[in-house]
Amino acid sequence: MSNYYLIGIDIGTTVIKTVVFDLVGNEIAKACSATEIIHSRPGWAEQDMDSVWQATAKSCMDVISKTGIRPKDILAVSLSGQGAGTWLIDKTGKPTRHAVSWLDGRAQDIIDAWQADGTNDKITRTCGLVYYAGSGPGVIFRWFIENDRASLEKSKSVLWAKDWVRYCLTGEIMTDETDPSMGMIDPPSRKYSSHVLELTVTSDYASLLPLIRPSQELGGKVTKAAAEATGLAEGTPVAVGAWDCTSTALGQGCIKSGDAFSILGTAGIHMVVSSKPTINSSYSLSCHTVPGQYLFHSMAMTAANNLDWFEREFGLAENQAARGQGISKYDIINSKVASVPLGANGVFFLPYLQGERAPFVEARARGEFAGLTDSSVRSDLYRAVYEGVALATLHNYKAMEVSSSFNRVRLGGGGAQSMVWSQILADCTGRVMEVTTGSEYGARGAAINAALCAGVYKDHKEAVQQMVKIKQVYQPDLKKTREYAECFEIYIKLIESRRKIWVDMFRLAEKRKFTTENKDGV
């Protein structure tokens, strides 16, 4: 079967990636298509569902064309998708409205009320998720009931991102265990929780929740229309797929209790595998895509995109230098960061450009540089961004340590492409960081599920042994770990000192927005 292939499609927040793998996990080729986050109001984040499907179809067509492989030699396809949020379709299978992204903060007032009256604690004790504004149907349905009930009344089903794309591929409506385990499932039974529906007062719309199937099982076959749009062969099997975080865990080989991983991508995803569905308010719990396993997780709202923002707005010099030298701008940035001592010469960065959801929940949290002086230079600020994300990572690790200890972490995402950043993470957290081959771990996890669906391997253990390999290891400098512990104390004090200010700043921004809209007659 050496001339056969698997496809993993990763439906990210801003980029769709379609990746072709051979049967031993080599990344043969990938194609990417961008998608847009729509911010129609402060704190809102939505996506055009048709645009997401179109971007997916284009990436499929592009990668098949790029490789020249025969569509009939693709044994199976599966999906990895951004989690949480709410993707509604109507009785005709069309989007009811724009999808509400996991980044969305419109329901923060509901979260505030639930935190104040104890509802959030009850929800966490029931399903294992520490609810945040964009966490999914539980809270977003509640917002629709109070503000836009018509959208729910017009809908036939609520999906998650990968389920929407699979529906477009196959015409089949379903989900797997991992996506709804973000707040809608009773973990031991891996079925929808009636108690969560009662606590969130959303039971009237329980009928919108789709059928649950295991991630690696057949979720339909590519239709004729989808084949024409994507270049895939009609009838190609499509495995149900998984939430991208669990798919990434699988794609990095984290399948047994105690395995841990971190992804520094758009978000900071930090997880530990457990064979027991232990619930604790310090972290969240979800079903793993691997049968019988669970994941403890503490997921920062943003991670590597803090660097993307800073480089985009203030990195002209680095971009020009890179073009002049014919190298990547990130080579220039990494060199500058490496030249700055631990602690960024007293500059701290709070990496909350889109609010925060773990290890604390506050959609109104904001990013900030602290400790600036007239001697601070841009290199200090770059270093502060790297270290701010590393300190946030340590903050999340401490939350998960309540129920699980771990000394080694599989590291992925854009941040893992930087040797400098990877070493900072190892030093700051005191953990060994292991980077596996390839770069598209969510798509690799999807490809592993596709392989199981197609019968290439008998189970997840065999598939991981064949398709996942370690490339590089970063050992922590424990002297630096102790120095970072001092930085962490200041980092925590900065957070605590800003909590009330964040609320006041958000309210002022909302007031100005409302005044401006009325003045302009909008």
Side-chain angles (χ1 to χ4, degrees), residues 275-341:
S275 58
K276 298 179 180 179
T278 306
I279 293 175
N280 189 290
S281 60
S282 293
Y283 56 79
S284 289
L285 171 74
S286 66
C287 299
H288 198 347
T289 183
V290 180
Q293 298 288 356
Y294 297 86
L295 288 162
F296 301 152
H297 47 92
S298 194
M299 303 185 296
M301 197 65 123
T302 61
N305 72 327
N306 288 283
L307 175 62
D308 294 339
W309 162 77
F310 186 76
E311 180 275 324
R312 183 188 72 228
E313 297 299 329
F314 305 106
L316 178 61
E318 288 72 35
N319 275 276
Q320 290 177 336
R323 285 196 293 270
Q325 297 177 43
I327 60 176
S328 166
K329 61 187 177 185
Y330 295 110
D331 291 333
I332 300 291
I333 293 168
N334 284 322
S335 177
K336 289 194 170 187
V337 170
S339 72
V340 178

Side-chain angles (χ1 to χ4, degrees), residues 416-432:
Q417 305 306 307
S418 165
M419 295 176 67
V420 174
W421 210 345
S422 297
Q423 189 61 56
I424 287 174
L425 283 159
D427 293 340
C428 181
T429 65
R431 266 79 171 187
V432 177

Side-chain angles (χ1 to χ4, degrees), residues 13-15 37 39 102-103 263-269 300-314 330 349-357 367 369 382 385-386 389 392 412-416 421:
T13 305
T14 57
V15 178
I37 299 294
H39 299 286
W102 62 272
L103 287 165
I263 296 297
L264 297 191
T266 300
I269 308 300
M301 197 65 123
T302 61
N305 72 327
N306 288 283
L307 175 62
D308 294 339
W309 162 77
F310 186 76
E311 180 275 324
R312 183 188 72 228
E313 297 299 329
F314 305 106
Y330 295 110
F349 177 68
L350 299 181
Y352 308 134
L353 298 182
Q354 190 65 37
E356 188 52 289
R357 58 177 173 171
F369 285 104
Y382 272 117
V385 170
Y386 278 42
V389 173
W421 210 345

Side-chain angles (χ1 to χ4, degrees), residues 142-436:
R142 185 68 245 161
W143 188 92
F144 278 126
I145 289 168
E146 296 177 7
N147 299 277
D148 183 15
R149 190 183 290 263
S151 287
L152 296 178
E153 296 292 343
K154 291 186 294 184
S155 297
K156 176 183 180 180
S157 184
V158 61
L159 301 173
W160 285 263
K162 63 99 173 48
D163 303 317
W164 161 244
V165 172
R166 192 192 54 258
Y167 171 74
C168 293
L169 284 168
T170 68
E172 301 289 343
I173 296 174
M174 68 184 70
T175 190
D176 76 316
E177 297 171 327
T178 67
D179 263 321
S181 72
M182 285 289 285
M184 302 303 295
I185 273 181
D186 167 60
S189 70
R190 300 170 92 99
K191 296 180 180 179
Y192 291 120
S193 169
S194 59
H195 193 203
V196 166
L197 294 171
E198 292 168 3
L199 288 168
T200 58
V201 199
T202 55
S203 298
D204 288 348
Y205 296 96
S207 62
L208 299 184
L209 296 169
L211 173 72
I212 295 174
R213 298 277 301 278
S215 307
Q216 73 276 11
E217 288 192 1
L218 180 66
K221 295 184 178 182
V222 174
T223 64
K224 181 179 180 181
E228 293 173 353
T230 62
L232 294 166
E234 183 180 356
T236 302
V238 182
V240 178
W243 171 35
D244 58 3
C245 296
T246 62
S247 189
T248 296
L250 176 59
Q252 289 191 300
C254 296
I255 60 173
K256 66 181 185 302
S257 188
D259 289 346
F261 80 96
S262 284
I263 296 297
L264 297 191
T266 300
I269 308 300
H270 313 294
M271 293 190 166
V272 184
V273 182
S274 174
S275 58
K276 298 179 180 179
T278 306
I279 293 175
N280 189 290
S281 60
S282 293
Y283 56 79
S284 289
L285 171 74
S286 66
C287 299
H288 198 347
T289 183
V290 180
Q293 298 288 356
Y294 297 86
L295 288 162
F296 301 152
H297 47 92
S298 194
M299 303 185 296
M301 197 65 123
T302 61
N305 72 327
N306 288 283
L307 175 62
D308 294 339
W309 162 77
F310 186 76
E311 180 275 324
R312 183 188 72 228
E313 297 299 329
F314 305 106
L316 178 61
E318 288 72 35
N319 275 276
Q320 290 177 336
R323 285 196 293 270
Q325 297 177 43
I327 60 176
S328 166
K329 61 187 177 185
Y330 295 110
D331 291 333
I332 300 291
I333 293 168
N334 284 322
S335 177
K336 289 194 170 187
V337 170
S339 72
V340 178
L342 187 156
N345 290 318
V347 179
F348 284 77
F349 177 68
L350 299 181
Y352 308 134
L353 298 182
Q354 190 65 37
E356 188 52 289
R357 58 177 173 171
F360 63 92
V361 177
E362 180 49 84
R364 294 160 298 203
R366 292 294 177 260
E368 177 183 343
F369 285 104
L372 295 172
T373 71
D374 60 2
S375 65
S376 299
V377 295
R378 196 163 55 253
S379 295
D380 296 337
L381 273 61
Y382 272 117
R383 176 88 189 196
V385 170
Y386 278 42
E387 292 186 336
V389 173
L391 290 165
T393 299
L394 177 59
H395 201 186
N396 282 282
Y397 285 3
K398 287 180 178 293
M400 295 188 296
E401 278 184 316
V402 172
S403 294
S404 180
S405 61
F406 53 98
N407 297 313
R408 308 182 76 86
V409 177
R410 295 283 170 90
L411 181 64
Q417 305 306 307
S418 165
M419 295 176 67
V420 174
W421 210 345
S422 297
Q423 189 61 56
I424 287 174
L425 283 159
D427 293 340
C428 181
T429 65
R431 266 79 171 187
V432 177
M433 295 287 161
E434 300 175 335
V435 178
T436 55

